[in-house]
Amino acid sequence: LNICALSSGSSGNAICIGSDRTKILVDAGISAREIGRRLMEIGVKPNELAGIVITHEHTDHVRGLRVLATRLDIPVYSTEETWYHLEDCRIPIHLQRVIEHHQHFLIGDLGIEAFPVPHDAVDPLGFKIYNQNTSLGIVTDLGHVPGYLLDRLGDVELIYLESNHDVDMVMAGSYPAFLKRRILGQRGHLSNDTAADFLAMLTERCLKQIVLGHLSKNNNTPQLALASVKSRLKGIGCNVGTDVDIQCCCHGELGIIHSV
Ligand SMILES: [Zn+2]
Ligand SMILES: [Zn+2]
């Protein structure tokens, strides 16, 4: 399995996941043209895509969805509630696929399991994607880590996890109070420290590779996000570099390809 964040953060999210046979996108939050350009840069032809799976309806996850899905004529997967809120996206009905929580479904030879995550969207999802004996998790846009996520993701070798903000930077920053409350709330975004705590638990299971994503442009830096995970892992005796590898996506930029 290969995974590459084509873009990450509030300016747009799109992640390409592929086996040798099947390539899919999780979210299409940058323009279709830019998705196409970045796919080519990592050696994937856009018309190789077999489907698009949507985490939730926020613009930074669906900005390029209609054009991309329509142009490529490929199915788009989301829950019924999210479809209702994606009406404005005008995805042709024959491309709409409805999925349910905890349902396993296949796109080509990729197995996918969707599960709910706490975020201020109508029905936000995280995913486990598996192929043969390997699996990876994609969990982005969540305010806290519900207990069941540890079970859902206890066997993944790689996780793409939101590490959105440094709490002190949010508190000291210039955002209005309502926005600070939203970001820091239980259905907002994951802080560096909360992400680090969850990652520490996962590394005690099967986790070998960590990709930090959806970093805030104004309330975080890759250095801060990496530092908080590294110090948390060090605290439990986990050696970064040998036991587990950590990378961080820069806001809005094409990431690197990770393989499991
Ligand atoms: Zn969101
Ligand atoms: Zn988002």
Side-chain angles (χ1 to χ4, degrees):
L1 280 176
N2 293 319
I3 173 170
C4 178
L6 303 180
S7 178
S8 162
S10 55
S11 62
N13 297 275
I15 305 170
C16 181
I17 294 107
S19 64
D20 291 342
R21 258 184 54 200
T22 309
K23 318 275 187 269
I24 63 167
L25 280 189
V26 170
D27 291 335
I30 52 176
S31 73
R33 174 196 294 242
E34 193 57 22
I35 287 173
R37 201 184 63 74
R38 294 185 184 199
L39 283 172
M40 295 296 277
E41 241 179 276
I42 60 165
V44 176
K45 294 189 193 78
N47 63 14
E48 281 180 79
L49 289 177
I52 307 170
V53 183
I54 298 299
T55 58
H56 64 297
E57 75 280 11
H58 288 162
T59 311
D60 58 319
H61 297 259
V62 298
R63 191 176 284 114
L65 181 60
R66 183 180 60 82
V67 173
L68 190 72
T70 310
R71 187 177 293 164
L72 299 174
D73 201 40
I74 51 173
V76 180
Y77 299 77
S78 203
T79 65
E80 198 166 348
E81 260 195 286
T82 298
W83 273 123
Y84 188 70
H85 282 76
L86 281 174
E87 256 179 14
D88 290 348
C89 275
R90 302 192 310 280
I91 308 294
I93 194 91
H94 76 280
L95 299 179
Q96 297 184 15
R97 302 284 184 280
V98 176
I99 55 173
E100 282 169 25
H101 295 173
H102 309 299
Q103 176 195 349
H104 291 247
F105 61 101
L106 280 171
I107 304 178
D109 64 352
L110 296 178
I112 303 169
E113 180 189 357
F115 44 82
V117 294
H119 184 56
D120 54 2
V122 287
D123 194 12
L125 301 174
F127 299 105
K128 179 155 87 177
I129 298 176
Y130 51 93
N131 173 252
Q132 292 167 2
N133 295 324
T134 50
S135 62
L136 58 85
I138 295 180
V139 188
T140 179
D141 296 61
L142 70 171
H144 67 282
V145 179
Y148 62 81
L149 279 194
L150 187 60
D151 287 328
R152 287 277 166 259
L153 298 168
D155 59 349
V156 299
E157 281 176 58
L158 181 152
I159 190 165
Y160 173 92
L161 181 67
E162 165 167 64
S163 193
N164 182 261
H165 57 268
D166 175 84
V167 173
D168 292 338
M169 281 182 82
V170 175
M171 296 298 283
S174 61
Y175 285 2
F178 81 90
L179 193 52
K180 290 183 182 181
R181 268 198 306 277
R182 190 207 144 214
I183 293 167
L184 299 173
Q186 290 290 294
R187 285 161 52 84
H189 289 280
L190 213 58
S191 72
N192 291 342
D193 288 341
T194 314
D197 286 343
F198 183 46
L199 291 168
M201 289 191 270
L202 288 176
T203 52
E204 289 179 330
R205 304 279 186 100
C206 301
L207 194 66
K208 293 278 176 277
Q209 293 188 62
I210 295 166
V211 184
L212 302 176
H214 213 303
L215 269 70
S216 165
K217 197 175 178 181
N218 301 318
N219 297 309
N220 209 356
T221 66
Q223 291 75 14
L224 277 174
L226 287 167
S228 71
V229 176
K230 284 179 181 172
S231 85
R232 186 73 183 78
L233 293 184
K234 207 172 157 197
I236 58 160
C238 176
N239 285 316
V240 174
T242 49
D243 297 334
V244 65
D245 182 61
I246 308 180
Q247 301 284 336
C248 186
C249 296
C250 292
H251 191 272
E253 289 177 20
L254 174 62
I256 60 171
I257 302 171
H258 303 267
S259 304
V260 286

